[in-house]
Amino acid sequence: MTISPAKLSDPTVRSLVAAINAGDRAAFEALLTADATMSDDGSDRDLAQWTDKEIFSVRGHMDVQSESDGGRALVATFRNDTWGEMRTAWRFTVEGDGRVSRFETGQA
């Protein structure tokens, strides 16, 4: 079963997933703090390079399967034109201003 991005509990995460699925880099970046960081499979990555390579230049898309931690932890089927489809886990740190300061992803 898939959870529609519009039904995700956390409003920031909801908007972030919608931006990813729409391929809207500007909307995605607007939801991040200026010093946002991320990791992939436990290794810190350059956020701008990673999101370009893994999401925006290769039509990344998330189909959320489940959420926990008030909507800030997701399990999703993520697909892009490079790697195809994989089961992934995502965890988001959302600051008081409603922007993401860190996200971590990896295979679930």
Side-chain angles (χ1 to χ4, degrees), residues 5-83:
K7 304 258 188 213
L8 293 173
S9 300
D10 186 276
T12 300
V13 173
R14 179 185 322 135
S15 295
L16 202 72
V17 171
I20 289 170
N21 289 351
D24 188 340
R25 186 188 311 252
F28 177 86
E29 291 174 352
L31 292 163
L32 303 176
T33 62
D35 59 350
T37 62
M38 61 87 51
S39 71
D40 183 7
D41 284 329
S43 297
D44 278 10
R45 307 283 188 201
D46 179 282
L47 189 144
Q49 287 179 351
W50 188 91
T51 55
D52 181 61
K53 181 179 171 211
E54 301 292 337
I55 298 174
F56 295 108
S57 69
V58 291
R59 297 186 308 147
H61 191 275
M62 294 174 73
D63 288 321
V64 178
Q65 308 301 316
S66 65
E67 66 173 357
S68 57
D69 191 25
R72 293 185 178 178
L74 308 177
V75 173
T77 302
F78 182 79
R79 67 179 178 274
N80 66 30
D81 291 345
T82 302
W83 304 110

